[in-house]
Amino acid sequence: MPGALLELRNVEARYGPVAALRGVSLTVGEGEIVAVLGANGAGKTTTLRAVSGTVRRSGEILLNGAPIGRTPEATARQKVAHVPEGRGTFVELSVEDNLRLGAYTRRDGGVAADLDRVLDWFPHLRERLPQQAGTLSGGEQQMLALARALMLSPRLLLLDEPSLGLAPLVVREIFAILDELNEKEGLAVLVVEQNAKLALRSSSRAYVLEVGRVALEGQSAELAENESVRKAYLGY
């Protein structure tokens, strides 16, 4: 495994009296795509929220060996971008305004160049820059959410259910872009995905959560052949 970019050590999180994470430990290496699988309510989304600072948690979360911030703004300043389930698009704003909001914590002079670079990855959006984001199709809104996250110029991308509600062709296109970003730019990704077959094919390693705990972990290719994973998540 590459050197650790992200480390979770015995992380716990609660929603009121309900424990959502129960001692979760995982790692994401530099330039690595790691998948998190599990049934609804297993703690997948909460894992991403714990990293991005959108839920209170205990335990250690380290980014490059140093404690990660505990608020969304702090983690964004550390170049951690979170694409939540449901996309989080600002529907009343234009596509271009949505993209520029992705760079709100940046203080460098590279935003204009990065806007052009991001639009090279998503040429459909270039044609729709003045368009109101809420008028985009579901697939286009997912691409906009991903493109907005890339405007942060992230070291780590947290991606929650990118395929949810989308046509298979659009899903394949989104994952193809992710694979290319990972290969060409070394983008590290921690992805939560119900489509286990797709997630295992796109990632190098994976974790399976059950009731807030890591039940299985390993190389994605090996987990794809694991009988319990196949029966529970792959349907054969």
Side-chain angles (χ1 to χ4, degrees), residues 62-220:
L62 306 177
L63 188 70
N64 269 353
I68 201 169
R70 286 183 172 267
T71 67
E73 184 174 5
T75 56
R77 290 191 184 282
Q78 291 174 295
K79 301 291 188 180
V80 176
H82 186 182
V83 181
E85 181 182 349
R87 301 162 196 143
T89 304
F90 296 96
V91 294
E92 301 294 328
L93 299 181
S94 70
V95 168
E96 183 171 0
D97 286 342
N98 268 271
L99 291 171
R100 291 189 180 278
L101 278 172
Y104 80 100
T105 62
R106 292 179 59 177
R107 297 295 180 265
D108 59 89
V111 173
D114 274 350
L115 177 60
D116 198 52
R117 179 182 63 85
V118 166
L119 290 171
D120 284 342
W121 288 107
F122 300 93
H124 296 308
L125 298 181
R126 190 185 292 278
E127 303 163 6
R128 292 164 173 74
L129 285 176
Q131 188 172 330
Q132 192 176 27
T135 65
L136 298 176
S137 69
E140 289 169 338
Q141 288 194 35
Q142 183 64 68
M143 289 183 183
L144 175 57
L146 180 54
R148 187 182 64 213
L150 294 176
M151 284 297 296
L152 183 63
S153 191
R155 301 156 69 189
L156 172 66
L157 178 66
L158 309 174
L159 194 53
D160 196 354
E161 300 287 7
S163 74
L164 190 66
L166 300 183
L169 184 63
V170 177
V171 173
R172 286 196 294 272
E173 185 177 356
I174 287 172
F175 272 85
I177 292 170
L178 278 178
D179 289 343
E180 211 171 344
L181 281 164
N182 173 256
E183 182 180 339
K184 292 185 176 179
E185 299 190 5
L187 179 65
V189 183
L190 181 61
V191 57
V192 161
E193 178 53 64
Q194 286 281 6
N195 186 332
K197 185 180 294 186
L198 183 61
L200 291 173
R201 190 165 61 238
S202 297
S203 59
S204 58
R205 292 186 305 111
Y207 295 81
V208 178
L209 297 188
E210 292 181 0
V211 291
R213 295 186 174 91
V214 175
L216 286 170
E217 63 181 278
Q219 298 295 314
S220 296

Side-chain angles (χ1 to χ4, degrees), residues 13-34:
R14 309 182 71 86
Y15 296 108
V18 179
L21 299 181
R22 307 165 184 258
V24 168
S25 296
L26 61 79
T27 61
V28 178
E30 293 275 3
E32 186 179 32
I33 299 179
V34 174

